[in-house]
Amino acid sequence: MKQLVCISRTPETTANIALNGDGTDIQTDGLNYILNPYDEWYALVRALELKEAQGGTVTVINVGGAENDIVIRKALAIGADDAIRVDAQPSSAMAVAKMIADATKDGAYDIVYCGKESIDYNGSMTASMLAEYLGLPFVSYASHMDVSGNTATIKRDIEGGTETVEVPTPFVLSAAKGLAEQRIPNMRGIMMAKRKPINVVSPGEAKNNAVVSMYELPKGKGDIKMIDPDNMEELVRLLKEEAKVL
Amino acid sequence: MARTDQYEGHDYYGVDALLSEDHLLARDAVRAWVKQEVSPIIEEYSERAECPKQLFKGLAEIGAYGPSLPVEYGGGGMDEIAYGVIMQELERGDSGVRSMASVQGSLVMYPIYRFGSEEQKRKYLPKLGSGEFIGCFGLTEPDHGSNPGGMITRYEDDGDHVILNGAKLWITNSPVADIAVVWAKGPDGKIRGLIVEKGMKGFTAPEIHGKWSLRASITGELVFEDVRVPKSNILPEVAGLKGPLSCLSKARYGIAWGAIGAALDCYDSALRYSKERIQFDKPIAGFQLTQKKLAEMITEITKAQLLAWRLGTLANEGKASPAQISMAKRNNVHMALEIAREARQIHGGMGITNEYPVMRHMMNLETVLTYEGTHDIHLLITGMDVTGINAFK
């Protein structure tokens, strides 16, 4: 089985995000980056589990500059066999999906994985767009998957329960929590990863149909107001007029 | 109830830029492992003075035993800086957990790799690397600590075997160890290393109880009463004190890095606490005396990071002298202990509880200050190195 896992680089979960002066971009100085957890913990690890059970290969692909090599190397240290890096800055979900599709359309992959979202922009768009570009079926938010022969049985968490779908290979899925458990790379994996290839390819043509005009950070939390326990009228007034919860 | 480990690394001078991709990956992997396996349980094990033995296998799986030894002998094939950052992250969790790994790698695997026969290397190293065997290192004796050359443990010739008699004290891992690398004087008066296996008649390893430090690490004695050890278990490639001392250099190097981890954990906790703790209507981080403590902490940590990085670069080139290693071990452990004490003050009363890691680190570091060469002896090593005059005796 040939499997492809799309991985992205995101600021670490505890990063303090700041914007530039006019709010059109994020300040990247001093930010530490990680491999997007949905791509790493769930998509990549499930692909590796299937490879261990059924054989085959796991390739990872990323769109980005050489600064992304360290997160690609981490994916190789966890166990991916090889990597493709499309040498372009990821400007939008559509552009990334198009570039991945162009770079892999002849790869004959049986299962193509994305994380359900990247933890920075939370778009949840790349996987479905990629499926469209590749002309493949798409299953979103997969939290469990078994593969038998050419058929995958996938559970999806839906409101109030789960949905089970069957899909023939090849297909694209987006991975949610539950699909697999995090694996920590060991030192041997890290050293082996140094010898695994990262194939850098030029991007195909891609355009952005939607552009970001500006970002805003959430407003700071308001001060706590202490109300005298005997002054219930004031409490009710504030809940009504300021908090607007009554 | 285990608290969430909120630790974040601190790199005030951008020292990370001096590290390679595999150093950073190794550090992040061990940090993740510590958060997953060590932080949730370490306070309870420490409180009970119990060694979390399950971590021996986990340390093997992550690759923490002999990471800088060749892969063919059970090591990781990494460089000395990688070994350093691994020790730093382990000690960020607990000095006792770092001790479990540094004894196995630097004091057991390293002497067998460096001074053992090919047969000994093949027999023991892969099993030590995989955690199937746990090892310990016997040099210190009840009456010979800083003066190991005066040891009284000795062996006599007995055909294909030698007969070993004596006792070793303060031996990390000894009660659970499958093998012990024991340094003893032979009939010619020279110190040699012997691999003594658990189960050899006359060999016991009782546990030492009542420690207020390194409580999650198991410590014991090694007692030899007419133990018959095959001559094939003697390390053939070294005689004299330089054998054990070269192992100690390796371990001390790891401690110089490890202590930074303990210091970083204390600083990280103190910094977070000081921003959350409100007194006189503002966070205590806003008071000058707290800022003085925090500023001095990060200054000392930064100096220690640079010292360790430079020492690691020298070690990679095979140029780190024992005296240079002594300086780094002494400076960095003392630095970490001082930071633990200051961090404890910032935490106020909470600092003495197991809600926060600082008191545990502080108690651990009291041991680290004097094991693997005491703080004072390392000073004399530097003194001898710069003056050329031996002030030990």
Side-chain angles (χ1 to χ4, degrees), chain A residues 12 14 32-33 66 69-71 73-74 77 182 184-188 190-191 193-194, chain B residues 8 21-22 24-26 29-30 32-33 36 61-63 71 74-78 86:
Chain A
E12 66 181 357
T14 54
N32 290 322
Y33 291 90
D69 281 353
I70 189 161
V71 297
R73 200 66 74 183
K74 183 178 185 188
Q182 179 187 10
I184 297 171
N186 62 21
M187 299 309 125
R188 189 157 297 180
I190 290 168
M191 295 309 280
K194 292 171 83 167
Chain B
E8 294 171 40
E21 208 169 64
D22 35 307
L24 297 172
L25 287 172
V30 179
W33 183 82
Q36 185 177 293
E61 284 164 7
I62 194 82
V71 173
M78 306 181 97
I86 292 167

mmCIF file of all heavy atoms in Angstrom, chain A residues 12 14 32-33 66 69-71 73-74 77 182 184-188 190-191 193-194, chain B residues 8 21-22 24-26 29-30 32-33 36 61-63 71 74-78 86:
data_model
loop_
_atom_site.group_PDB
_atom_site.id
_atom_site.type_symbol
_atom_site.label_atom_id
_atom_site.label_comp_id
_atom_site.label_asym_id
_atom_site.label_seq_id
_atom_site.Cartn_x
_atom_site.Cartn_y
_atom_site.Cartn_z
ATOM 1 N N GLU A 12 4.083 26.722 17.703
ATOM 2 C CA GLU A 12 3.761 25.804 18.797
ATOM 3 C C GLU A 12 2.554 26.316 19.580
ATOM 4 O O GLU A 12 2.249 27.506 19.561
ATOM 5 C CB GLU A 12 4.966 25.591 19.697
ATOM 6 C CG GLU A 12 5.419 26.799 20.452
ATOM 7 C CD GLU A 12 6.636 26.494 21.312
ATOM 8 O OE1 GLU A 12 7.076 25.349 21.358
ATOM 9 O OE2 GLU A 12 7.129 27.439 21.943
ATOM 10 N N THR A 14 1.846 26.987 22.548
ATOM 11 C CA THR A 14 1.928 28.002 23.601
ATOM 12 C C THR A 14 2.461 29.335 23.078
ATOM 13 O O THR A 14 2.698 30.251 23.864
ATOM 14 C CB THR A 14 2.853 27.521 24.735
ATOM 15 O OG1 THR A 14 4.113 27.162 24.160
ATOM 16 C CG2 THR A 14 2.260 26.334 25.448
ATOM 17 N N ASN A 32 8.428 29.767 17.750
ATOM 18 C CA ASN A 32 8.904 28.397 17.588
ATOM 19 C C ASN A 32 7.843 27.593 16.854
ATOM 20 O O ASN A 32 6.649 27.796 17.075
ATOM 21 C CB ASN A 32 9.181 27.760 18.951
ATOM 22 C CG ASN A 32 10.391 28.379 19.606
ATOM 23 O OD1 ASN A 32 11.381 28.694 18.938
ATOM 24 N ND2 ASN A 32 10.317 28.568 20.904
ATOM 25 N N TYR A 33 8.282 26.686 16.017
ATOM 26 C CA TYR A 33 7.347 25.950 15.180
ATOM 27 C C TYR A 33 7.374 24.461 15.501
ATOM 28 O O TYR A 33 8.384 23.922 15.942
ATOM 29 C CB TYR A 33 7.703 26.155 13.700
ATOM 30 C CG TYR A 33 7.429 27.560 13.230
ATOM 31 C CD1 TYR A 33 8.407 28.539 13.322
ATOM 32 C CD2 TYR A 33 6.185 27.911 12.715
ATOM 33 C CE1 TYR A 33 8.161 29.837 12.903
ATOM 34 C CE2 TYR A 33 5.928 29.204 12.291
ATOM 35 C CZ TYR A 33 6.925 30.162 12.385
ATOM 36 O OH TYR A 33 6.662 31.435 11.977
ATOM 37 N N ALA A 66 12.937 25.901 2.968
ATOM 38 C CA ALA A 66 13.882 25.008 3.647
ATOM 39 C C ALA A 66 13.736 25.082 5.163
ATOM 40 O O ALA A 66 14.142 24.153 5.871
ATOM 41 C CB ALA A 66 15.308 25.370 3.236
ATOM 42 N N ASP A 69 12.291 22.077 6.851
ATOM 43 C CA ASP A 69 12.931 20.755 6.816
ATOM 44 C C ASP A 69 12.950 20.083 8.185
ATOM 45 O O ASP A 69 12.888 18.859 8.273
ATOM 46 C CB ASP A 69 14.354 20.875 6.263
ATOM 47 C CG ASP A 69 14.353 20.991 4.737
ATOM 48 O OD1 ASP A 69 13.268 20.838 4.133
ATOM 49 O OD2 ASP A 69 15.423 21.239 4.156
ATOM 50 N N ILE A 70 13.028 20.876 9.257
ATOM 51 C CA ILE A 70 13.138 20.228 10.580
ATOM 52 C C ILE A 70 11.846 19.498 10.949
ATOM 53 O O ILE A 70 11.894 18.409 11.539
ATOM 54 C CB ILE A 70 13.578 21.222 11.678
ATOM 55 C CG1 ILE A 70 13.878 20.451 12.972
ATOM 56 C CG2 ILE A 70 12.556 22.329 11.902
ATOM 57 C CD1 ILE A 70 14.734 21.189 13.960
ATOM 58 N N VAL A 71 10.690 20.046 10.567
ATOM 59 C CA VAL A 71 9.460 19.304 10.895
ATOM 60 C C VAL A 71 9.289 18.113 9.940
ATOM 61 O O VAL A 71 8.738 17.078 10.315
ATOM 62 C CB VAL A 71 8.193 20.195 10.920
ATOM 63 C CG1 VAL A 71 8.289 21.248 12.004
ATOM 64 C CG2 VAL A 71 7.888 20.810 9.582
ATOM 65 N N ARG A 73 11.831 16.439 8.863
ATOM 66 C CA ARG A 73 12.782 15.462 9.411
ATOM 67 C C ARG A 73 12.152 14.767 10.619
ATOM 68 O O ARG A 73 12.394 13.585 10.856
ATOM 69 C CB ARG A 73 14.062 16.208 9.799
ATOM 70 C CG ARG A 73 15.288 15.358 9.932
ATOM 71 C CD ARG A 73 15.749 14.745 8.642
ATOM 72 N NE ARG A 73 16.391 15.673 7.740
ATOM 73 C CZ ARG A 73 16.820 15.341 6.522
ATOM 74 N NH1 ARG A 73 16.695 14.095 6.079
ATOM 75 N NH2 ARG A 73 17.370 16.233 5.739
ATOM 76 N N LYS A 74 11.351 15.471 11.372
ATOM 77 C CA LYS A 74 10.693 14.825 12.512
ATOM 78 C C LYS A 74 9.745 13.731 12.021
ATOM 79 O O LYS A 74 9.696 12.638 12.595
ATOM 80 C CB LYS A 74 9.924 15.852 13.348
ATOM 81 C CG LYS A 74 9.295 15.210 14.579
ATOM 82 C CD LYS A 74 8.558 16.184 15.463
ATOM 83 C CE LYS A 74 8.071 15.495 16.732
ATOM 84 N NZ LYS A 74 7.188 16.346 17.534
ATOM 85 N N ALA A 77 11.735 10.892 11.231
ATOM 86 C CA ALA A 77 12.240 10.242 12.453
ATOM 87 C C ALA A 77 11.164 9.374 13.095
ATOM 88 O O ALA A 77 11.456 8.332 13.671
ATOM 89 C CB ALA A 77 12.721 11.306 13.447
ATOM 90 N N GLN A 182 -0.229 9.488 19.705
ATOM 91 C CA GLN A 182 1.061 10.123 19.454
ATOM 92 C C GLN A 182 2.221 9.145 19.618
ATOM 93 O O GLN A 182 2.222 8.323 20.529
ATOM 94 C CB GLN A 182 1.247 11.283 20.450
ATOM 95 C CG GLN A 182 2.580 12.006 20.301
ATOM 96 C CD GLN A 182 2.797 13.042 21.404
ATOM 97 O OE1 GLN A 182 2.056 13.092 22.362
ATOM 98 N NE2 GLN A 182 3.814 13.854 21.249
ATOM 99 N N ILE A 184 6.448 9.220 19.995
ATOM 100 C CA ILE A 184 7.610 10.092 20.179
ATOM 101 C C ILE A 184 8.784 9.457 19.441
ATOM 102 O O ILE A 184 9.065 8.274 19.637
ATOM 103 C CB ILE A 184 7.924 10.244 21.683
ATOM 104 C CG1 ILE A 184 6.748 10.923 22.396
ATOM 105 C CG2 ILE A 184 9.212 11.042 21.882
ATOM 106 C CD1 ILE A 184 6.862 10.919 23.909
ATOM 107 N N PRO A 185 9.457 10.201 18.582
ATOM 108 C CA PRO A 185 10.582 9.589 17.866
ATOM 109 C C PRO A 185 11.706 9.243 18.837
ATOM 110 O O PRO A 185 11.919 9.953 19.817
ATOM 111 C CB PRO A 185 11.033 10.696 16.896
ATOM 112 C CG PRO A 185 10.546 11.970 17.485
ATOM 113 C CD PRO A 185 9.292 11.625 18.238
ATOM 114 N N ASN A 186 12.407 8.134 18.595
ATOM 115 C CA ASN A 186 13.551 7.827 19.447
ATOM 116 C C ASN A 186 14.847 8.250 18.745
ATOM 117 O O ASN A 186 14.835 8.691 17.600
ATOM 118 C CB ASN A 186 13.554 6.356 19.874
ATOM 119 C CG ASN A 186 13.676 5.415 18.693
ATOM 120 O OD1 ASN A 186 14.134 5.807 17.610
ATOM 121 N ND2 ASN A 186 13.259 4.179 18.875
ATOM 122 N N MET A 187 15.943 8.118 19.462
ATOM 123 C CA MET A 187 17.219 8.632 18.950
ATOM 124 C C MET A 187 17.645 7.898 17.677
ATOM 125 O O MET A 187 18.205 8.489 16.763
ATOM 126 C CB MET A 187 18.314 8.513 20.021
ATOM 127 C CG MET A 187 18.018 9.298 21.275
ATOM 128 S SD MET A 187 17.585 11.021 20.947
ATOM 129 C CE MET A 187 16.012 11.128 21.775
ATOM 130 N N ARG A 188 17.353 6.609 17.634
ATOM 131 C CA ARG A 188 17.720 5.851 16.424
ATOM 132 C C ARG A 188 16.921 6.372 15.229
ATOM 133 O O ARG A 188 17.465 6.530 14.132
ATOM 134 C CB ARG A 188 17.456 4.366 16.662
ATOM 135 C CG ARG A 188 18.011 3.492 15.560
ATOM 136 C CD ARG A 188 18.247 2.098 16.028
ATOM 137 N NE ARG A 188 19.255 2.056 17.086
ATOM 138 C CZ ARG A 188 19.661 0.942 17.681
ATOM 139 N NH1 ARG A 188 19.145 -0.203 17.338
ATOM 140 N NH2 ARG A 188 20.588 0.973 18.612
ATOM 141 N N ILE A 190 15.767 9.348 14.836
ATOM 142 C CA ILE A 190 16.292 10.669 14.473
ATOM 143 C C ILE A 190 17.551 10.520 13.626
ATOM 144 O O ILE A 190 17.733 11.230 12.633
ATOM 145 C CB ILE A 190 16.569 11.497 15.760
ATOM 146 C CG1 ILE A 190 15.231 11.881 16.409
ATOM 147 C CG2 ILE A 190 17.401 12.734 15.453
ATOM 148 C CD1 ILE A 190 15.348 12.454 17.820
ATOM 149 N N MET A 191 18.407 9.576 13.985
ATOM 150 C CA MET A 191 19.634 9.389 13.196
ATOM 151 C C MET A 191 19.327 8.769 11.834
ATOM 152 O O MET A 191 19.944 9.118 10.824
ATOM 153 C CB MET A 191 20.637 8.520 13.978
ATOM 154 C CG MET A 191 21.142 9.183 15.240
ATOM 155 S SD MET A 191 21.763 10.863 14.968
ATOM 156 C CE MET A 191 23.401 10.523 14.327
ATOM 157 N N ALA A 193 16.648 9.207 10.161
ATOM 158 C CA ALA A 193 15.973 10.224 9.351
ATOM 159 C C ALA A 193 16.964 11.060 8.558
ATOM 160 O O ALA A 193 16.637 11.587 7.485
ATOM 161 C CB ALA A 193 15.128 11.126 10.249
ATOM 162 N N LYS A 194 18.188 11.167 9.075
ATOM 163 C CA LYS A 194 19.197 11.966 8.362
ATOM 164 C C LYS A 194 19.544 11.359 7.002
ATOM 165 O O LYS A 194 20.023 12.046 6.117
ATOM 166 C CB LYS A 194 20.482 12.067 9.201
ATOM 167 C CG LYS A 194 20.316 12.885 10.445
ATOM 168 C CD LYS A 194 21.516 12.772 11.345
ATOM 169 C CE LYS A 194 22.639 13.710 10.941
ATOM 170 N NZ LYS A 194 23.661 13.809 11.999
ATOM 171 N N GLU B 8 8.198 25.231 29.558
ATOM 172 C CA GLU B 8 8.670 25.699 28.250
ATOM 173 C C GLU B 8 10.163 25.956 28.369
ATOM 174 O O GLU B 8 10.622 26.431 29.402
ATOM 175 C CB GLU B 8 8.012 27.030 27.879
ATOM 176 C CG GLU B 8 6.526 26.969 27.650
ATOM 177 C CD GLU B 8 5.950 28.379 27.511
ATOM 178 O OE1 GLU B 8 6.595 29.232 26.877
ATOM 179 O OE2 GLU B 8 4.882 28.606 28.066
ATOM 180 N N GLU B 21 19.959 20.193 13.581
ATOM 181 C CA GLU B 21 18.598 19.660 13.484
ATOM 182 C C GLU B 21 18.416 18.446 14.402
ATOM 183 O O GLU B 21 17.408 18.339 15.108
ATOM 184 C CB GLU B 21 18.382 19.245 12.035
ATOM 185 C CG GLU B 21 16.981 19.293 11.554
ATOM 186 C CD GLU B 21 16.945 19.118 10.043
ATOM 187 O OE1 GLU B 21 17.334 18.040 9.554
ATOM 188 O OE2 GLU B 21 16.523 20.064 9.350
ATOM 189 N N ASP B 22 19.398 17.532 14.408
ATOM 190 C CA ASP B 22 19.177 16.332 15.235
ATOM 191 C C ASP B 22 19.290 16.639 16.729
ATOM 192 O O ASP B 22 18.638 15.985 17.547
ATOM 193 C CB ASP B 22 20.023 15.114 14.843
ATOM 194 C CG ASP B 22 21.372 15.439 14.355
ATOM 195 O OD1 ASP B 22 21.474 16.260 13.436
ATOM 196 O OD2 ASP B 22 22.336 14.874 14.891
ATOM 197 N N LEU B 24 18.088 19.380 18.079
ATOM 198 C CA LEU B 24 16.783 19.953 18.420
ATOM 199 C C LEU B 24 15.696 18.877 18.427
ATOM 200 O O LEU B 24 14.819 18.863 19.297
ATOM 201 C CB LEU B 24 16.420 21.067 17.428
ATOM 202 C CG LEU B 24 17.375 22.278 17.445
ATOM 203 C CD1 LEU B 24 17.045 23.236 16.308
ATOM 204 C CD2 LEU B 24 17.318 23.007 18.778
ATOM 205 N N LEU B 25 15.772 17.959 17.462
ATOM 206 C CA LEU B 25 14.787 16.868 17.429
ATOM 207 C C LEU B 25 14.936 15.970 18.657
ATOM 208 O O LEU B 25 13.948 15.542 19.261
ATOM 209 C CB LEU B 25 14.949 16.040 16.149
ATOM 210 C CG LEU B 25 14.469 16.700 14.851
ATOM 211 C CD1 LEU B 25 14.873 15.864 13.644
ATOM 212 C CD2 LEU B 25 12.961 16.905 14.857
ATOM 213 N N ALA B 26 16.199 15.694 19.027
ATOM 214 C CA ALA B 26 16.446 14.846 20.197
ATOM 215 C C ALA B 26 15.899 15.527 21.450
ATOM 216 O O ALA B 26 15.240 14.903 22.283
ATOM 217 C CB ALA B 26 17.941 14.576 20.347
ATOM 218 N N ALA B 29 12.105 15.445 21.484
ATOM 219 C CA ALA B 29 11.594 14.092 21.715
ATOM 220 C C ALA B 29 11.700 13.733 23.193
ATOM 221 O O ALA B 29 10.756 13.211 23.792
ATOM 222 C CB ALA B 29 12.369 13.084 20.863
ATOM 223 N N VAL B 30 12.847 14.022 23.807
ATOM 224 C CA VAL B 30 13.021 13.669 25.218
ATOM 225 C C VAL B 30 12.117 14.543 26.090
ATOM 226 O O VAL B 30 11.546 14.076 27.080
ATOM 227 C CB VAL B 30 14.505 13.769 25.642
ATOM 228 C CG1 VAL B 30 14.660 13.431 27.118
ATOM 229 C CG2 VAL B 30 15.354 12.824 24.801
ATOM 230 N N ALA B 32 9.192 15.673 25.237
ATOM 231 C CA ALA B 32 7.842 15.099 25.110
ATOM 232 C C ALA B 32 7.732 13.825 25.950
ATOM 233 O O ALA B 32 6.714 13.586 26.611
ATOM 234 C CB ALA B 32 7.538 14.809 23.645
ATOM 235 N N TRP B 33 8.791 13.031 25.922
ATOM 236 C CA TRP B 33 8.779 11.774 26.697
ATOM 237 C C TRP B 33 8.709 12.069 28.196
ATOM 238 O O TRP B 33 7.951 11.420 28.935
ATOM 239 C CB TRP B 33 10.035 10.954 26.365
ATOM 240 C CG TRP B 33 10.061 9.636 27.071
ATOM 241 C CD1 TRP B 33 9.434 8.490 26.699
ATOM 242 C CD2 TRP B 33 10.734 9.331 28.308
ATOM 243 N NE1 TRP B 33 9.676 7.492 27.619
ATOM 244 C CE2 TRP B 33 10.469 7.976 28.608
ATOM 245 C CE3 TRP B 33 11.538 10.068 29.173
ATOM 246 C CZ2 TRP B 33 10.980 7.349 29.741
ATOM 247 C CZ3 TRP B 33 12.040 9.443 30.312
ATOM 248 C CH2 TRP B 33 11.760 8.101 30.592
ATOM 249 N N GLN B 36 5.295 13.101 29.176
ATOM 250 C CA GLN B 36 4.343 11.990 29.112
ATOM 251 C C GLN B 36 4.582 10.956 30.208
ATOM 252 O O GLN B 36 3.646 10.450 30.800
ATOM 253 C CB GLN B 36 4.467 11.333 27.734
ATOM 254 C CG GLN B 36 3.474 10.235 27.452
ATOM 255 C CD GLN B 36 3.639 9.709 26.030
ATOM 256 O OE1 GLN B 36 3.387 10.408 25.052
ATOM 257 N NE2 GLN B 36 4.096 8.481 25.918
ATOM 258 N N GLU B 61 13.843 2.706 25.188
ATOM 259 C CA GLU B 61 13.064 2.879 23.956
ATOM 260 C C GLU B 61 13.293 4.249 23.329
ATOM 261 O O GLU B 61 13.377 4.378 22.109
ATOM 262 C CB GLU B 61 11.575 2.659 24.238
ATOM 263 C CG GLU B 61 11.242 1.183 24.381
ATOM 264 C CD GLU B 61 9.889 0.939 25.027
ATOM 265 O OE1 GLU B 61 9.146 1.912 25.253
ATOM 266 O OE2 GLU B 61 9.599 -0.240 25.319
ATOM 267 N N ILE B 62 13.412 5.271 24.179
ATOM 268 C CA ILE B 62 13.641 6.605 23.619
ATOM 269 C C ILE B 62 15.086 6.741 23.112
ATOM 270 O O ILE B 62 15.387 7.579 22.262
ATOM 271 C CB ILE B 62 13.293 7.707 24.660
ATOM 272 C CG1 ILE B 62 13.201 9.094 24.006
ATOM 273 C CG2 ILE B 62 14.243 7.771 25.800
ATOM 274 C CD1 ILE B 62 11.899 9.342 23.364
ATOM 275 N N GLY B 63 15.980 5.889 23.605
ATOM 276 C CA GLY B 63 17.373 5.918 23.135
ATOM 277 C C GLY B 63 18.284 6.712 24.050
ATOM 278 O O GLY B 63 19.248 7.327 23.595
ATOM 279 N N VAL B 71 26.077 2.622 16.950
ATOM 280 C CA VAL B 71 24.825 1.869 16.831
ATOM 281 C C VAL B 71 25.080 0.368 16.958
ATOM 282 O O VAL B 71 24.309 -0.355 17.594
ATOM 283 C CB VAL B 71 24.153 2.195 15.475
ATOM 284 C CG1 VAL B 71 22.938 1.308 15.247
ATOM 285 C CG2 VAL B 71 23.747 3.668 15.435
ATOM 286 N N GLY B 74 24.798 -0.978 20.396
ATOM 287 C CA GLY B 74 23.628 -0.639 21.199
ATOM 288 C C GLY B 74 23.462 0.835 21.493
ATOM 289 O O GLY B 74 22.545 1.229 22.206
ATOM 290 N N GLY B 75 24.343 1.675 20.953
ATOM 291 C CA GLY B 75 24.235 3.115 21.181
ATOM 292 C C GLY B 75 23.391 3.780 20.114
ATOM 293 O O GLY B 75 22.691 3.122 19.344
ATOM 294 N N GLY B 76 23.468 5.115 20.085
ATOM 295 C CA GLY B 76 22.628 5.863 19.158
ATOM 296 C C GLY B 76 23.386 6.481 17.996
ATOM 297 O O GLY B 76 22.781 7.029 17.082
ATOM 298 N N GLY B 77 24.728 6.427 18.034
ATOM 299 C CA GLY B 77 25.521 6.985 16.938
ATOM 300 C C GLY B 77 25.445 8.503 16.864
ATOM 301 O O GLY B 77 25.709 9.092 15.820
ATOM 302 N N MET B 78 25.098 9.146 17.986
ATOM 303 C CA MET B 78 24.956 10.608 17.972
ATOM 304 C C MET B 78 26.235 11.255 18.496
ATOM 305 O O MET B 78 27.164 10.576 18.929
ATOM 306 C CB MET B 78 23.756 11.022 18.837
ATOM 307 C CG MET B 78 22.475 10.307 18.443
ATOM 308 S SD MET B 78 21.048 10.796 19.419
ATOM 309 C CE MET B 78 20.320 12.016 18.346
ATOM 310 N N ILE B 86 20.080 15.504 25.708
ATOM 311 C CA ILE B 86 19.224 14.427 26.236
ATOM 312 C C ILE B 86 19.298 14.428 27.762
ATOM 313 O O ILE B 86 18.272 14.358 28.460
ATOM 314 C CB ILE B 86 19.651 13.058 25.651
ATOM 315 C CG1 ILE B 86 19.356 13.007 24.160
ATOM 316 C CG2 ILE B 86 18.957 11.909 26.387
ATOM 317 C CD1 ILE B 86 20.015 11.838 23.442
#
